[in-house]
Amino acid sequence: MRDTATMVNGFDIASVNALDPELRQIVKRRASLLGPAYKLFYANPVRIVRGEGVHLYDADGQVYLDAYNNVPSVGHCHPRVVQAIARQAATLNTHTRYASELILDYAERLLGTYPDGIGQVMFTCTGSEAVDLALRVARFHTGGEGIVITANAYHGVTTAAAEISPSLGPAVPLGRSVWTVPAPAVHDTGQTFADQVRAAIADMNRHGVRLAAFIADSLFSSDGIRPDPAGPASFLQPVADVVRQAGGLYIADEVQPGFGRTGEAMWGFQRHGIVPDLAVMGKPMGNGMPIAGVAARPEILEEFGHKIRYFNTFGGNSVCIAAAAAVLDVIQTEGLRENALDVGGYLRDTLEAIAMDTPRISAVRGCGLYAAADFTDPGTGQPDGDAAIRVVNGLRDRRVLISATGPDGSSLKIRPPLPFARPHVDRLAEALTDALRTL
Ligand SMILES: Cc1ncc(COP(=O)(O)O)c(C=O)c1O
């Protein structure tokens, strides 16, 4: 059986003996020490030893263009972040139970990037913990249990987050109070999606479950990337209205779209003109340091905070906060959001030009430095996950790293660190054109 069933672009351990001897030994050692739950990317896994900017280097000194990693969002090993971490680690690294101003200064700056109404933030170590906390807060605040999600959502690995993550596959059951709706269709104006959410809530109520929250990645990343299906920026407004009319909270999962990735705004939901009740962030927040959090309307945290003590040993520790503050500095001083807008547009234009020359790519979508290219079998017109994976591996062989996404893995997922520049797009395009020729 393919052990990659629940992960697009996973290395199949059954092929381990085809690897070169050194890599084979590492992969076997890894399987024996870490067990089978850990997956590697690519048919020929990459042995990365160093990173800098938008490049990764393997053990043989080969350089790879990183067009995939959104955690080192301001660039691998950015000197400003490295220095901030080193300086803070040499000064103090402690938790949130002392009256340090470091965390307050950061919280103030971070909340300054949110729209009015979002006025408080709680810190965690991972996006999953942040999702977990947001669900607890939503259930406490509303008195409801029910959660509405999209059909191939991914929200994390804790028990509560995994229960709302259908993309983990059939072996991970959804929670009893979890209802799914299809991800927005490519040409939806938002109304169909909102109607589907309304129907899901009605069905939930018929089963005696009250709504607590709707949660969605503002870019629908694991659903195949749906930045703004039919164009109008207010696409998410009708669903937010439906959720609130039903007494639920709108949770924006900004783990992937946040921190300027979309180019148009700091947060993915801002592109739609909505203000969520809770926003969950993580991944790029500390450029690789374990920091994540939940930003909220203060009135929603009020009673929860009075009745429920919250302490997270490592969440919001001094070193992670210093890293996160440096990340904000770099995004602002290097104009990375603006860069995402500019280079992201160039990336989409380039992909569209490539798509014109092949019947295999049926659509290109994207927003800022987050792009998808859908592979379709020209004979059947059906999504072609195999072709997408062959291209992902073809690019890896040409030392350009991307991946694939969507329910059938048929969409290329291109999501580089934000300092990605036009020459990097050109290098990606050259490798992609070459890889397509071999299909
Ligand atoms: C949309 C989304 N939400 C939540 C998470 C969970 O974050 P973490 O892996 O930091 O726990 C992820 C991780 O991939 C994600 O993509």
Side-chain angles (χ1 to χ4, degrees):
M1 194 183 86
R2 207 170 152 222
D3 84 325
T4 54
T6 57
M7 193 182 102
V8 175
N9 185 27
F11 169 72
D12 186 349
I13 194 74
S15 333
V16 68
N17 288 328
L19 299 177
D20 81 53
E22 208 178 331
L23 186 58
R24 186 190 317 152
Q25 192 259 338
I26 294 171
V27 173
K28 284 187 171 172
R29 187 166 163 234
R30 191 181 139 100
S32 114
L33 289 169
L34 306 185
Y38 281 84
K39 310 294 179 203
L40 285 159
F41 275 152
Y42 306 113
N44 183 16
V46 188
R47 206 179 144 201
I48 294 301
V49 295
R50 188 168 78 79
E52 188 181 338
V54 299
H55 293 108
L56 289 167
Y57 298 81
D58 73 9
D60 301 321
Q62 305 252 46
V63 56
Y64 294 74
L65 179 65
D66 184 359
Y68 178 74
N69 284 296
N70 60 342
V71 172
S73 189
V74 300
H76 290 275
C77 305
H78 193 291
R80 193 154 174 174
V81 181
V82 172
Q83 276 162 20
I85 293 168
R87 205 179 311 119
Q88 190 58 46
T91 308
L92 174 74
N93 190 17
T94 187
H95 53 76
T96 50
R97 281 191 165 149
Y98 300 110
S100 155
E101 280 182 290
L102 188 71
I103 193 169
L104 305 183
D105 292 343
Y106 176 67
E108 217 159 58
R109 280 184 71 193
L110 180 68
L111 290 167
T113 68
Y114 274 92
D116 287 350
I118 302 280
Q120 288 178 348
V121 55
M122 295 176 76
F123 292 104
T124 63
C125 303
T126 66
S128 304
E129 279 183 316
V131 165
D132 200 299
L133 178 61
L135 294 179
R136 282 180 68 197
V137 169
R139 284 173 167 149
F140 183 91
H141 184 76
T142 60
E145 263 296 303
I147 308 289
V148 178
I149 55 167
T150 53
N152 202 48
Y154 180 71
H155 296 291
V157 294
T158 65
T159 302
E163 280 184 352
I164 58 164
S165 295
S167 76
L168 286 171
V172 181
L174 296 183
R176 284 172 192 276
S177 44
V178 176
W179 264 252
T180 60
V181 291
V186 171
H187 299 296
D188 188 3
T189 56
Q191 205 49 59
T192 308
F193 187 51
D195 288 345
Q196 280 160 339
V197 171
R198 186 183 289 109
I201 296 169
D203 191 55
M204 176 186 280
N205 294 160
R206 257 198 308 279
H207 285 81
V209 178
R210 254 174 67 197
L211 179 69
F214 166 84
I215 179 168
D217 171 330
S218 308
L219 279 177
F220 302 94
S221 309
S222 58
D223 282 290
I225 309 172
R226 299 275 188 272
D228 36 11
S234 57
F235 169 74
L236 290 175
Q237 187 64 58
V239 74
D241 293 342
V242 164
V243 168
R244 286 179 178 137
Q245 277 155 18
L249 300 187
Y250 188 106
I251 306 175
D253 187 331
E254 291 287 328
V255 168
Q256 299 236 19
F259 292 96
R261 165 106 359 222
T262 66
E264 289 167 31
M266 184 73 163
W267 306 106
F269 63 79
Q270 285 176 304
R271 301 177 53 249
H272 298 273
I274 62 165
V275 181
D277 299 297
L278 297 160
V280 175
M281 60 210 136
K283 285 194 190 286
M285 192 165 177
N287 214 46
M289 294 296 281
I291 179 160
V294 182
R297 297 178 186 271
E299 62 273 21
I300 289 169
L301 293 184
E302 183 68 19
E303 206 190 342
F304 180 86
H306 280 299
K307 295 212 169 128
I308 297 173
R309 191 180 71 226
Y310 178 75
F311 177 63
N312 184 324
T313 302
F314 302 118
N317 75 61
S318 334
V319 171
C320 286
I321 292 285
V327 166
L328 284 188
D329 290 340
V330 177
I331 291 175
Q332 281 153 10
T333 57
E334 295 185 11
L336 292 184
R337 181 179 66 69
E338 295 79 358
N339 186 66
L341 191 62
D342 173 48
V343 179
Y346 181 62
L347 170 63
R348 276 193 308 287
D349 291 347
T350 305
L351 292 173
E352 268 158 18
I354 292 173
M356 301 277 279
D357 288 337
T358 169
R360 291 182 178 273
I361 300 180
S362 54
V364 169
R365 282 184 303 285
C367 176
L369 276 170
Y370 208 139
D374 293 346
F375 274 71
T376 303
D377 185 319
T380 63
Q382 293 302 307
D384 193 349
D386 281 348
I389 288 303
R390 273 188 287 147
V391 168
V392 166
N393 282 303
L395 283 171
R396 176 258 171 265
D397 293 342
R398 290 161 180 79
R399 299 198 301 281
V400 175
L401 304 180
I402 66 160
S403 193
T405 185
D408 31 41
S410 60
S411 305
L412 299 189
K413 174 159 93 173
I414 304 174
R415 191 194 51 179
L418 298 184
F420 213 67
R422 285 175 180 239
H424 302 129
V425 175
D426 296 339
R427 159 105 173 79
L428 165 71
E430 196 185 311
L432 177 57
T433 309
D434 202 34
L436 281 166
R437 268 191 220 113
T438 64
L439 278 186

